[in-house]
Amino acid sequence: MPREVTVVDANLGNLDSVERAMVQVGAAVVVTGDPDRIAAARMLVFPGQGAFGEVTNEIVDGALGAAIRVVIGRGDPYLGICVGMQLLFEDSEENGGQRGLGVLPGHVRRFPSGMTSFPGTRPLKIPHVGWNDVHPIDEHFYFSHSYYVDGVDPNDVMWTTRYGTLEFPAAISHNNIIGCQFHPEKSQWAGLRFLRSFILGGRG
Amino acid sequence: MLKRRIIPCLDIKDGRVVKGVHFVGLRDGGDPVEACRAYDAQGADEICMLDITATVEGRATFVDVVRRVARQTFAPLTVGGGIRREADVRRLMVAGADKVAINSAIVTNPRLISELAARYGSQCIVAAVDVRRMPARPGDVEPLYEVVIHGGRRSTGLDAIRWCEEVAELGAGEIMLTSMDRDGTRDGYDLWITREISRRVPIPVIASGGVGSLEHLREGLADAEGCAGADAALAASIFHFGLFTIGEAKAYLQEKGVPVRPPEPSRFASHV
């Protein structure tokens, strides 16, 4: 029987691609924004693109945030993608400073401007857009973001990626929680493999 | 490290690929879904579709094409052509586009960039900038490039470099820079303006217009002297006519020291 995966619809961008990718790797997918159904999920995926701001404030303070805490607290598998991962941390610098769910220690920060790969070379572009390799698994994933998580407990860092001189968490893992800064649903074979291992209960 | 991207680009008219895509294994080269699936399987880093339809019905058809392509591919999808207002962007994003490329509308209404960036995030908003080199005048210290719109038919009087700096400040996440002098020529990218904008503007630049060989891709992407150092390279005919696969392009670039994501594992290629 296919694993049932609940995808959180929090008005944070298009969910179609995440839904299709989950189906492709064998999940039965329910997409919902209903906090009760989310709280009852046996496996929860929270995709998000875009920004910390009004929408995330409502999530953090509202029933949706409470439902997500219920699932995480119960120990059921949770996968946060991009903003869906960032929201797990304490706060974000984005849009003048916003609170997160505070499930894990860490802060969402903007890439420093003027960062270079080597002294004297041209500054790196922000947003960090495109395919970057993650360590230690040596696989490429598609990234598209201007903010990253800083100050994460080293035990929670699963994979890292280097952008210029900065090494940041590409994926985090803590008990039943997995989070990724990249977009597995847009990362072709590598992304599908990652999602498949999530639904099989692996670590990506 | 972050890799330079290879982006095949399809022009779509009335729901069909203009001039078609002709490589081994495709049954219907005019079908955008089949073409995009093939590029996805070849390991394209991103796929771009531009709608060149002029009619209202054609526009609706394009949204449907985007929906069907998005359902069958697992690569980032950038779409553009004829986007005038927020409602157009919303339709395309709902259909499954990851990014929208906007050209004329942001020239007439630059505020649109900040409005869209606030709503969808900068990473979704690609400023499509078409440029043309101006005739040299006595006393010029460097060549001047002007922004043109409506497929190059209308000049704007905007300086290309200053306009690109402005779109970045307004919140665009990337610039798709097309040389109208080179577009369709297969003479290679306009390296001078691509290099200047890549150097001066703090957001990624996609080089476009003129690719006729793999060496042109290298010139566009490499940081070496005389090259443009763009973050991504858009190309159409060299891929559509089956001259090279995406994998062959990447193998060439890798050998020349340009950082690219390695060609895809063969077991995935056999998927299509």
Side-chain angles (χ1 to χ4, degrees):
Chain A
M1 218 179 87
R3 308 281 182 114
E4 185 174 294
V5 173
T6 303
V7 174
V8 180
D9 182 2
N11 222 353
L12 277 171
N14 178 29
L15 303 173
D16 251 29
S17 46
V18 173
E19 183 184 352
R20 280 182 317 97
M22 297 304 306
V23 169
Q24 179 82 14
V25 298
V29 180
V30 177
V31 180
T32 180
D34 174 6
D36 292 338
R37 295 182 69 188
I38 289 165
R42 306 314 307 196
M43 208 175 256
L44 195 62
V45 176
F46 188 5
Q49 37 179 287
F52 263 84
E54 266 175 49
V55 179
T56 55
N57 267 340
E58 278 171 32
I59 296 167
V60 169
D61 295 332
L64 213 52
I68 290 168
R69 287 176 202 275
V70 166
V71 175
I72 289 175
R74 199 170 51 219
D76 283 319
Y78 173 95
L79 170 63
I81 299 173
C82 197
V83 175
M85 171 194 76
Q86 294 181 352
L87 261 183
L88 296 171
F89 294 91
E90 296 164 72
D91 47 45
S92 170
E93 290 179 351
E94 199 163 4
N95 282 317
Q98 306 282 333
R99 276 178 307 112
L101 289 167
V103 173
L104 297 173
H107 310 277
V108 181
R109 301 198 195 289
R110 191 175 159 83
F111 284 122
S113 57
M115 197 169 53
T116 55
S117 300
F118 304 101
T121 56
R122 71 160 202 213
L124 291 168
K125 306 301 181 72
I126 302 170
H128 170 235
V129 182
W131 297 78
N132 206 330
D133 51 331
V134 310
H135 310 281
I137 60 157
D138 198 23
E139 183 88 85
H140 286 79
F141 292 94
Y142 181 74
F143 291 81
S144 174
H145 62 124
S146 302
Y147 292 78
Y148 70 100
V149 197
D150 186 33
V152 179
D153 181 336
N155 294 316
D156 294 344
V157 177
M158 183 165 82
W159 298 338
T160 63
T161 292
R162 188 172 279 278
Y163 191 42
T165 48
L166 190 79
E167 193 168 4
F168 66 89
I172 55 112
S173 114
H174 180 95
N175 299 331
N176 55 319
I177 301 172
I178 299 261
C180 55
Q181 181 57 67
F182 51 81
H183 288 275
E185 76 281 11
K186 292 288 163 184
S187 295
Q188 293 171 339
W189 57 90
L192 294 176
R193 221 164 20 236
F194 174 81
L195 294 174
R196 175 135 189 93
S197 30
F198 169 72
I199 66 164
L200 294 178
R203 279 278 175 266
Chain B
M1 78 187 291
L2 183 67
K3 304 304 185 289
R4 307 284 158 105
R5 283 168 282 158
I6 304 293
I7 309 176
C9 180
L10 299 159
D11 283 346
I12 308 291
K13 189 172 187 188
D14 298 317
R16 303 280 296 168
V17 182
V18 176
K19 289 189 218 156
V21 168
H22 311 272
F23 46 78
V24 183
L26 283 194
R27 282 160 303 161
D28 176 5
D31 176 11
V33 178
E34 212 182 321
C36 289
R37 276 178 56 117
Y39 285 134
D40 188 27
Q42 286 181 12
D45 296 316
E46 190 168 321
I47 293 167
C48 178
M49 288 195 295
L50 300 176
D51 184 24
I52 60 162
T53 315
T55 61
V56 175
E57 308 81 63
R59 297 247 178 269
T61 310
F62 183 65
V63 174
D64 184 53
V65 167
V66 170
R67 187 175 300 113
R68 288 188 293 128
V69 167
R71 280 189 187 150
Q72 302 221 21
T73 53
F74 294 101
L77 179 62
T78 302
V79 304
I83 296 170
R84 298 214 165 71
R85 54 188 72 83
E86 197 270 329
D88 301 328
V89 172
R90 192 172 48 224
R91 256 194 301 278
L92 292 164
M93 299 294 284
V94 167
D98 297 293
K99 309 182 211 178
V100 289
I102 316 174
N103 187 339
S104 310
I106 54 173
V107 171
T108 45
N109 176 20
R111 265 204 346 229
L112 184 62
I113 302 174
S114 10
E115 288 164 16
L116 292 171
R119 183 158 187 148
Y120 298 96
S122 286
Q123 80 287 344
C124 294
I125 310 304
V126 179
V129 178
D130 294 349
V131 302
R132 179 173 286 154
R133 189 170 177 145
M134 312 267 281
R137 295 171 311 186
D140 282 351
V141 287
E142 56 181 36
L144 282 175
Y145 285 76
E146 183 195 22
V147 177
V148 293
I149 54 175
H150 296 296
R153 292 189 304 275
R154 195 178 301 174
S155 45
T156 62
L158 291 168
D159 175 71
I161 294 173
R162 285 182 55 188
W163 173 241
C164 287
E165 287 168 343
E166 193 178 336
V167 299
E169 261 167 49
L170 287 167
E174 281 180 90
I175 290 170
M176 184 186 291
L177 180 73
T178 304
S179 159
M180 296 312 278
D181 303 310
R182 296 300 178 92
D183 204 29
T185 63
R186 304 193 199 177
D187 289 340
Y189 296 118
D190 186 320
L191 297 174
W192 192 89
I193 191 65
T194 308
R195 178 172 57 240
E196 286 307 305
I197 290 173
S198 296
R199 275 187 190 163
R200 295 196 205 182
V201 177
I203 59 177
V205 172
I206 303 164
S208 159
V211 172
S213 70
L214 297 184
E215 178 58 13
H216 291 152
L217 294 175
R218 188 195 68 84
E219 292 169 353
L221 294 171
D223 287 323
E225 187 70 32
C227 298
D231 300 275
L234 198 88
S237 56
I238 60 163
F239 298 129
H240 300 342
F241 299 135
L243 297 176
F244 305 101
T245 63
I246 304 283
E248 285 164 350
K250 289 189 170 188
Y252 178 86
L253 292 166
Q254 208 167 25
E255 195 194 303
K256 301 280 178 179
V258 178
V260 289
R261 182 172 60 121
E264 92 289 8
S266 54
R267 64 196 158 87
F268 198 78
S270 63
H271 190 69
V272 165

